[in-house]
Amino acid sequence: MKKPAGNTRQTAAPAKALAPKSPLPETTEGFPWPSSHEIKKESNPFTDRDWRMLAYAWSGMAVRLAIIFTLMFSVYQFLANQEQKRVEQTMSLVELWENKDYQQAQRALKDRLTALNAKYDNLLSANPSPTEEQVFRQRIGIEAMTAAGGDMPLADFSENFDRIVYFLNRLSFCVDGDLCSRKVTDAYFRDYAVSFWSYFAGYVDKQRKAGSPAFASAIETYVRNAPPADEVK
């Protein structure tokens, strides 16, 4: 039997035009719902009735306190050892200062300055001002470094003077480098260093202008860096 003639293909129905999609409404459905149960507070182990929890809490606290105490003690011990080393270094300088050569140098300076003070005593008023006394001492120090400054030959006196300058410079470097104890150093040497500088600051200034700009600069630093008033008391 023959199929009926004609186009047997079925024509597809025209697709319906898609209507534009409306924007989706904002919603929070993607987020988890908050629990309807109240959040349970953590219990305090120090108030727990279970003795095991109490023992755990207090043992943990004891361990923490022990660690803190150990660290603090270690720091204290370290600082104490450092200060002990500085004191030992200072005492080694004290021993050197009491050496025969330095004792001789101290006597040489003392004798020369004492003689010059007696020689020019009439030039200073009974109640001199600090400025007048400073000028008077510096003039004596300058004359002490001349051949007419005393009975000892100038070459011998200069050798003793240089020995004192070397020692006080070394002392200042030790304190400035935190290798010596400033408290112990001041107790032994500050008065002498201040007195030495009051006499020879003028001579030092002349030497610097003559071509030695760093001459005795460490001594000046030590003298000018006075300790706080509460430490002096």
Side-chain angles (χ1 to χ4, degrees):
M1 183 174 178
K2 294 183 179 181
K3 294 181 180 181
N7 188 1
T8 60
R9 291 184 180 179
Q10 295 180 354
T11 303
K16 294 182 179 180
L18 295 177
K21 293 183 179 180
S22 60
L24 295 176
E26 294 184 1
T27 178
T28 58
E29 292 181 359
F31 297 98
W33 288 96
S35 175
S36 59
H37 301 284
E38 185 180 355
I39 299 175
K40 186 178 180 181
K41 295 182 180 179
E42 295 184 2
S43 60
N44 188 345
F46 292 97
T47 59
D48 200 292
R49 295 182 179 181
D50 189 346
W51 66 268
R52 291 171 298 181
M53 289 297 296
L54 286 173
Y56 173 78
W58 285 107
S59 62
M61 176 65 71
V63 170
R64 291 183 179 90
L65 292 176
I67 293 175
I68 294 173
F69 175 79
T70 302
L71 290 175
M72 293 177 64
F73 180 76
S74 299
V75 172
Y76 169 79
Q77 193 173 31
F78 172 77
L79 295 176
N81 289 338
Q82 292 296 104
E83 180 62 19
Q84 182 63 29
K85 291 179 181 179
R86 286 191 284 267
V87 171
E88 291 175 358
Q89 183 65 27
T90 305
M91 295 310 298
S92 68
L93 289 178
V94 173
E95 293 179 3
L96 180 62
W97 186 243
E98 295 174 351
N99 182 277
K100 178 182 176 181
D101 292 337
Y102 285 102
Q103 289 291 313
Q104 177 182 339
Q106 294 174 55
R107 284 194 300 269
L109 263 70
K110 181 180 178 180
D111 292 344
R112 204 171 184 94
L113 294 176
T114 300
L116 288 172
N117 272 290
K119 179 179 179 181
Y120 296 110
D121 184 55
N122 59 333
L123 298 180
L124 197 62
S125 62
N127 297 310
S129 66
T131 302
E132 291 175 343
E133 189 171 359
Q134 179 182 3
V135 172
F136 176 77
R137 288 192 172 200
Q138 290 188 12
R139 287 180 178 177
I140 286 181
I142 291 174
E143 184 168 343
M145 300 305 298
T146 63
D151 297 332
M152 180 181 289
L154 181 59
D156 295 339
F157 180 76
S158 296
E159 183 178 351
N160 289 310
F161 175 82
D162 291 341
R163 187 174 287 116
I164 297 296
V165 170
Y166 167 78
F167 179 88
L168 293 179
N169 273 331
R170 179 177 175 181
L171 179 74
S172 177
F173 287 135
C174 191
V175 173
D176 189 57
D178 203 23
L179 301 176
C180 288
S181 170
R182 176 173 288 276
K183 184 176 180 180
V184 178
T185 302
D186 288 345
Y188 276 97
F189 300 109
R190 172 158 287 278
D191 288 344
Y192 187 90
V194 171
S195 178
F196 176 88
W197 187 255
S198 68
Y199 279 105
F200 294 103
Y203 174 75
V204 169
D205 186 59
K206 290 181 62 176
Q207 293 298 107
R208 290 175 179 177
K209 291 178 180 178
S212 301
F215 182 68
S217 59
I219 302 175
E220 183 179 12
T221 300
Y222 175 70
V223 170
R224 297 194 184 283
N225 290 340
D230 55 346
E231 292 186 10
V232 174
K233 295 178 182 180

